[in-house]
Amino acid sequence: MKTIQHWINGSPAPGSAADTQPVFNPATGAEQAQVVLGGATDVDTAVAAATQAFDTWSESSLTQRTQVMFAFRQLLVEHEEELGRIISAEHGKTIDDARGEIVRGREVVEFACGLGDVLKGSFSDQVSRGVDVHNFRRPLGVVAGITPFNFPAMVPLWMHPIAIATGNTFLLKPSERDPSAANFVAELYKKAGLPDGVFNVVHGGKDAVDAILTHPGVRAVSFVGSTPIAKYVHETATAHGKRVQALGGAKNHAVVLPDADLEFAADHITAGAYGSAGERCMAVSVAVAVGDAADALVEVLQRKAREVKVGPGDAPGTEMGPLVTKAAQERVENAVGGAAAQGATVVVDGRGLKVAGHEEGFFTGPSLLDHVTTEMDAYKEELFGPVLAIVRAASLDQAIDLINANPYGNGTALFTASGEAARRFQRKVDVGMIGVNVPVPVPMSYYSFGGWKDSLIGDSPIHGPEGIRFYTRPKVVTSRWPQPKQQVDAGFNFPTSS
């Protein structure tokens, strides 16, 4: 049985704790590894290594840092297939889907390769007689990322390339459900020439998280996960003087107007709802059918849901793999049953699916629920599984009001042929990321990712320009260089620009 260790100061580390947790293959239900569970001692060891590395790395040249990022980016390209298979084996998603998340994460590395232009400061000449002012940004120190199971490569890649390229050192606490991707990335960083101690990985559960949130040597924490934990992370870390990025849960709506191309809309909503078995914070979990679009849309969505090919993530032709754990499978299937009991119409029932040769896998099929109301649990809860709920609205304005009344505000989409409707929607809806005929509007790396309301705790989105600001702090220098023996009068009044 393989044991997955920490990665501290440039090499695998067994850690101080004897506790381990099984890592399963979701397609077979079989245990395939054990991951060590670290705690405060292991976090302290990693922070000490990162602190020592920061002294040198923070003073390295921008050229040196970007050269490492260029080399790291190339290694991600060369090892994309291998890393994709590692993700698929522990998460359950298809290899193509895993490769897709690597590509989207790699875009942040590419953004980090171009930080030379982004980090340029400004200069003001002669703000007063013989006085100039300029500013520049400096790294914070040791920063940490706490990341979820659903994107074991991409979400950490939203964090550490920018943190490292701006001169910080990094401690990653990945999900213990699929931990191997983090160690593989650590090995790629080492091959890329990153000095030991700049990137570290500590595996574990709540003990490791709490140790990071309270450690005096950690300057900032980035988190992606559920809203209750995001609130806990934000409250605890800020109470200990840290900067915090805390991205929470979601309930993403896709609105379909009667003028939309229903085949096009249904194709994209199906992929957005059932891709990665719905285990995405940007998954389409609610389709809002407006007016006359409703019955026709349900008919097309029903057909497409039944056509989704479910199977092991490494099998050719598979479009949707299993859920990550047995508990997740049971929770999602119970939610479908609960929706039916509350009055929803189960148009497509994915419960009880068995895949030949993988009968013990954590599979459930796509489920489609119609006549869902905002009072039902299937609407209010983030199910994080392949369940699409259809809510009917009489008008676009009613659909907007419905979305705005929801406590989450991560992503939303509108399918329409009307530019006027699209403009009205994107201006009035209280959501941070909006797609127009795009079901999963994850922005490119040079924009920032972050929702509104309960989908973002605090006010710090992730990657892009906001990521640069989060991992650095500005210095402003006011300087005077008088000529030798030049007399410069000093004043006791507050200085002015005279």
Side-chain angles (χ1 to χ4, degrees):
M1 182 67 64
K2 178 176 70 171
T3 299
I4 301 164
Q5 299 183 329
H6 310 302
W7 180 279
I8 298 175
N9 205 25
S11 61
S16 60
D19 292 341
T20 61
Q21 178 173 309
V23 178
F24 294 94
N25 181 333
T28 64
E31 181 180 341
Q32 59 180 327
Q34 289 277 329
V35 60
V36 297
L37 298 179
T41 300
D42 303 301
V43 168
D44 194 56
T45 301
V47 172
T51 301
Q52 183 176 2
F54 177 75
D55 291 340
T56 302
W57 183 246
S58 62
E59 295 301 323
S60 62
S61 69
L62 185 58
T63 299
Q64 179 185 351
R65 285 180 256 148
T66 53
Q67 284 177 342
V68 169
M69 284 297 148
F70 273 109
F72 177 58
R73 185 260 177 204
Q74 184 58 34
L75 288 167
L76 283 172
V77 172
E78 294 172 1
H79 294 274
E80 182 181 296
E81 180 73 17
E82 185 178 359
L83 180 54
R85 290 186 177 277
I86 289 171
I87 294 169
S88 177
E90 291 185 350
H91 175 278
K93 65 176 65 177
T94 67
I95 292 174
D96 282 346
D97 192 19
R99 292 174 66 182
E101 77 160 274
I102 296 165
V103 171
R104 292 307 306 268
R106 196 172 69 221
E107 291 169 358
V108 180
V109 182
E110 292 163 357
F111 177 71
C113 289
L115 288 191
D117 184 66
V118 180
L119 286 176
K120 287 190 301 187
S122 58
F123 182 90
S124 296
D125 172 70
Q126 198 75 352
V127 298
S128 185
R129 286 191 296 269
V131 176
D132 306 321
V133 177
H134 72 277
N135 70 339
F136 59 99
R137 304 191 73 86
R138 292 290 293 154
L140 303 178
V142 180
V143 298
I146 302 168
T147 57
F149 75 87
N150 58 329
F151 288 103
M154 184 183 75
V155 170
L157 283 165
W158 285 355
M159 303 172 184
H160 52 73
I162 295 176
I164 291 171
T166 51
N168 300 278
T169 53
F170 199 88
L171 167 58
L172 174 62
K173 206 302 287 183
S175 171
E176 59 275 24
R177 298 178 189 176
D178 45 8
S180 294
N183 288 34
F184 189 85
V185 167
E187 293 175 3
L188 295 187
Y189 264 131
K190 189 174 182 70
K191 292 178 181 177
L194 190 69
D196 293 346
V198 177
F199 181 77
N200 305 275
V201 179
V202 172
H203 300 289
K206 189 176 185 300
D207 288 346
V209 169
D210 286 343
I212 290 170
L213 300 182
T214 59
H215 198 291
V218 175
R219 304 301 180 191
V221 176
S222 301
F223 172 84
V224 176
S226 69
T227 292
I229 305 302
K231 290 180 178 179
Y232 172 78
V233 166
H234 188 272
E235 179 181 350
T236 306
T238 52
H240 286 81
K242 307 183 194 314
R243 288 187 178 184
V244 183
Q245 291 173 321
L247 281 68
K251 199 69 180 180
N252 305 312
H253 301 71
V255 178
V256 182
L257 297 187
D259 67 354
D261 181 329
L262 293 188
E263 283 287 335
F264 176 89
D267 265 342
H268 288 271
I269 291 172
T270 298
Y274 304 130
S276 197
E279 293 173 321
R280 296 171 174 164
C281 68
M282 290 291 284
V284 177
S285 54
V286 180
V288 183
V290 176
D292 295 340
D295 288 341
L297 179 64
V298 172
E299 182 179 343
V300 182
L301 286 172
Q302 176 181 4
R303 168 166 48 87
K304 293 186 181 296
R306 295 188 188 282
E307 292 172 350
V308 175
K309 298 178 179 64
V310 182
D314 60 355
T318 295
E319 295 173 317
M320 191 183 95
L323 291 167
V324 68
T325 62
K326 183 69 173 177
Q329 177 196 38
E330 293 173 349
R331 175 177 50 78
V332 168
E333 296 199 347
N334 288 339
V336 174
Q342 290 181 332
T345 302
V346 182
V347 180
V348 179
D349 192 341
R351 292 175 292 178
L353 176 69
K354 296 295 182 183
V355 175
H358 295 77
E359 287 78 9
E360 300 303 315
F362 310 140
F363 291 96
T364 189
S367 289
L368 180 64
L369 310 176
D370 193 9
H371 301 290
V372 174
T373 68
T374 56
E375 291 78 27
M376 294 180 182
D377 292 338
Y379 176 80
K380 293 188 293 184
E381 298 176 1
E382 184 182 24
L383 302 182
F384 229 61
V387 181
L388 176 61
I390 299 173
V391 177
R392 298 177 180 230
S395 66
L396 175 59
D397 287 336
Q398 187 182 70
I400 292 171
D401 290 343
L402 183 148
I403 294 169
N404 290 348
N406 193 279
Y408 295 110
N410 207 41
T412 189
L414 175 69
F415 289 87
T416 183
S418 168
E420 183 279 327
R423 190 173 189 274
R424 179 156 40 113
F425 180 78
Q426 65 194 34
R427 289 177 60 81
K428 287 190 173 184
V429 74
D430 294 336
V431 176
M433 293 172 285
I434 301 165
V436 177
N437 297 315
V438 175
V440 185
V442 177
M444 299 297 291
S445 62
Y446 36 85
Y447 287 84
S448 295
F449 180 105
W452 286 13
K453 299 186 285 187
D454 279 356
S455 295
L456 178 68
I457 311 305
D459 60 355
S460 293
I462 205 165
H463 73 58
E466 296 289 347
I468 300 294
R469 285 190 281 272
F470 180 77
Y471 289 121
T472 60
R473 52 187 173 181
K475 284 188 174 182
V476 182
V477 180
T478 304
S479 60
R480 172 190 281 135
W481 298 98
Q483 297 176 11
K485 300 181 180 180
Q486 178 185 3
Q487 182 64 38
V488 178
D489 293 333
F492 286 87
N493 297 325
F494 193 81
T496 68
S497 58
S498 61

